[in-house]
Amino acid sequence: MKGKLLRAEGDLANIIPIHLDASFFFERAVRSLDRNHVDKALKYFRKAVEYEPENPVNHCNMAGILSEKGDYEASNAILANVLDVVDPSMTECYFYMANNYANMDRFEEAEQALVTYLEEDTQGQFMTEAEEMMELLYYELDRPAKLNRIKSRKGVVEHDHARELLEEGKFAQAAELLEGMPPDYPDYLAVRNNLALAYYYMGQFPKARETIAEVLEQEPGNLHALCNLAIFHQNENRTDQVLLLIKKLRVIVPFQQEQVYKLATTMGILGQHDTAYVHFRRLLKAEETAADPALAHYAAVAAFNTGRYDAAERLWHHVSKLDPGSEVSPFYLSRLKAVQQDELQPENLSYHYHLPFDEQFKQWENYGNGIPEEMKNDPLIRSSFFWALRHGDRATKLQVIHALGMIGDYEVQQALQSFIQESDEQQDLVEAAQSVLNELLATEQHSERSRAVLPLSTVAARSIQNAAISAEGSQTESISHWQAVVDRALQMTETKAELQQEMERIWTDYVSRAHPEMTAMKHIEGWAAGLEYLAAKIHRRPVTYQSVADRYGISASTVSKYAKQINKVCSTVPPTV
């Protein structure tokens, strides 16, 4: 008996005890998956979660198996719980959720989850897969996703958007976006170069030079900065500095196409047409840019300005083939013919890919109704106007002021206002700009009064007026600008009476509280957009910063900025706006 007991005790001594913990069930789950026993694996992962409920990995593994089994709803419920309760930093869960939604053909929700992943995830572990899914969603929804940023790429989306704004002539919006770019953005010097251009186009020359100086201090040979600085100096008649930079730029032979293009256009603007022609010809030989009609036109202009008339003729005929509907090449071919037949004196041509301003104005007058709509919204035309307003001769500036009056949108009003405030402009130009601006504002106010919109309540009007009167500075200016905010918001929501009443209430409250610090509004569109966003939130309407921004033609960050500023004073909606 005793011996049997000893044997029994010996047997027990050789048994390895089983520790039932999360690791044990995790390994069992993995082993089951290897054997394709999916149901067993799911059961073991559930047990692992029971033992370690705070471990998000086990939750995600369980969600992954449910997804493989086709139970996408249950999978997303687990992933949502991870983000809400277990570990909100597990941003990859948004990517998993996007996959599940896509498998359920719920593409709107898939897009929302994917955008959240891209905007919040710092590592970019699934960037390649996310880009592929973005293409799928673009195909299914027939529109691009409203993506404000890709966090793992540190500002790439914001920088691209800023560059688009620059090309569209929306310099103030571009500057606002570029100013907010973090210094750790990988291409930060390019950001500063573009910011310098935005400042320059807005006429803020000291800030433009200061920004370029920062770039050159960090990278003395930065080609974009050197080119920008040379153009800045030329337009400020700093001949000695321009000549020094031309000497430096003439010997540079860049290989990247973007840099070749920058150098070519810069040398053309600086009057170095021979050098510009060489670089433009290089670009036309490249497969990626050979079919660009604007580039072929630039090469033709450089050829014409250097007396290479045969080459210019061939290039403009090439432009006609690349862009058959354009009036540019026929116009310049006729001018070239007139020069060759001694009917016209040769003068250096501009590198802009459009008709000369005087020719454009003649054509627009023939329309009878001013500038055609498609031309008003043409980014190249708009940016050319803003450029000419700053750097053209007196006659060109007068023509441009008249043309801008025919466009008359918010960006135009801002440009004219900035032009008027420049102390070194000729008095007659300032008076012409002021006259056009006054007409635009008067037309806008009349248009708003004639619309079938809910009028601003008497209480709101009184609050705004009283606030303006109690503030320092010009009473009239404050009243008109603060009134303009709610007028603009009402105009944009003219068929939504409930929203209009809410906006009036919020704005009345804000003005009455903020009046001691009141100054004239500098960004009416931003304030109005923020006001509309808050009103929509209160009435639980589906709204995002981006959806409002798109309607007002501004950035989502601008809507967010002004909405939060109003809400900070009024506490209209919870602070998560």
Side-chain angles (χ1 to χ4, degrees), residues 42 58-68 71 74-76 78-79 100:
L42 179 59
N58 291 325
H59 290 268
C60 289
N61 285 328
M62 191 163 63
I65 292 179
L66 286 169
S67 182
E68 285 190 24
D71 194 349
S75 177
N76 272 358
I78 291 172
L79 294 168
N100 286 335

Side-chain angles (χ1 to χ4, degrees), residues 244-281:
L244 287 172
L245 285 167
I246 286 175
K247 186 177 180 181
K248 184 179 292 188
L249 292 171
R250 283 179 68 91
V251 299
I252 296 176
V253 184
F255 293 98
Q256 295 181 11
Q257 288 188 359
E258 183 185 359
Q259 292 189 338
V260 177
Y261 183 86
K262 179 70 175 181
L263 184 58
T265 52
T266 299
M267 297 306 278
I269 293 170
L270 296 175
Q272 303 299 303
H273 305 296
D274 275 310
T275 306
Y277 180 71
V278 170
H279 290 307
F280 282 131
R281 292 293 297 176

Side-chain angles (χ1 to χ4, degrees), residues 20 36 74 157 265 387 442:
L20 298 181
N36 205 28
V157 174
T265 52
W387 171 268

Side-chain angles (χ1 to χ4, degrees), residues 8-21:
E9 288 174 0
D11 290 341
L12 288 170
N14 291 328
I15 293 174
I16 300 173
I18 296 174
H19 297 289
L20 298 181
D21 57 11

Side-chain angles (χ1 to χ4, degrees), residues 6 23 67 76 117 129 141 149 173 177 214 235 273 287 295 314 332 345 354 407 422 548 559 564:
L6 284 172
S23 297
S67 182
N76 272 358
Y117 167 73
E129 296 86 347
L141 297 172
R149 61 174 181 166
Q173 293 179 41
L177 199 55
E214 291 175 12
N235 284 284
H273 305 296
E287 183 179 350
L295 182 60
R314 287 195 301 272
Y332 283 104
Q345 287 297 316
H354 56 63
I407 298 174
E422 292 297 319
V548 177
V559 181
K564 288 177 179 177

Side-chain angles (χ1 to χ4, degrees), residues 5-59:
L5 286 173
L6 284 172
R7 280 196 300 273
E9 288 174 0
D11 290 341
L12 288 170
N14 291 328
I15 293 174
I16 300 173
I18 296 174
H19 297 289
L20 298 181
D21 57 11
S23 297
F24 170 80
F25 289 109
F26 176 84
E27 296 200 10
R28 286 296 179 98
V30 172
R31 196 179 308 165
S32 297
L33 280 177
D34 290 339
R35 295 172 182 171
N36 205 28
H37 297 159
V38 178
D39 290 329
K40 270 191 174 182
L42 179 59
K43 182 178 69 174
Y44 286 130
F45 276 129
R46 287 191 194 279
K47 293 297 290 184
V49 167
E50 288 178 15
Y51 277 89
E52 281 186 4
E54 74 285 352
N55 186 342
V57 174
N58 291 325
H59 290 268

Side-chain angles (χ1 to χ4, degrees), residues 299-328:
V301 170
F304 179 91
N305 289 344
T306 54
R308 296 178 171 93
Y309 295 151
D310 290 341
E313 184 175 4
R314 287 195 301 272
L315 286 163
W316 273 316
H317 280 301
H318 184 52
V319 173
S320 296
K321 293 177 183 177
L322 295 175
D323 191 3
S326 172
E327 298 174 329
V328 174

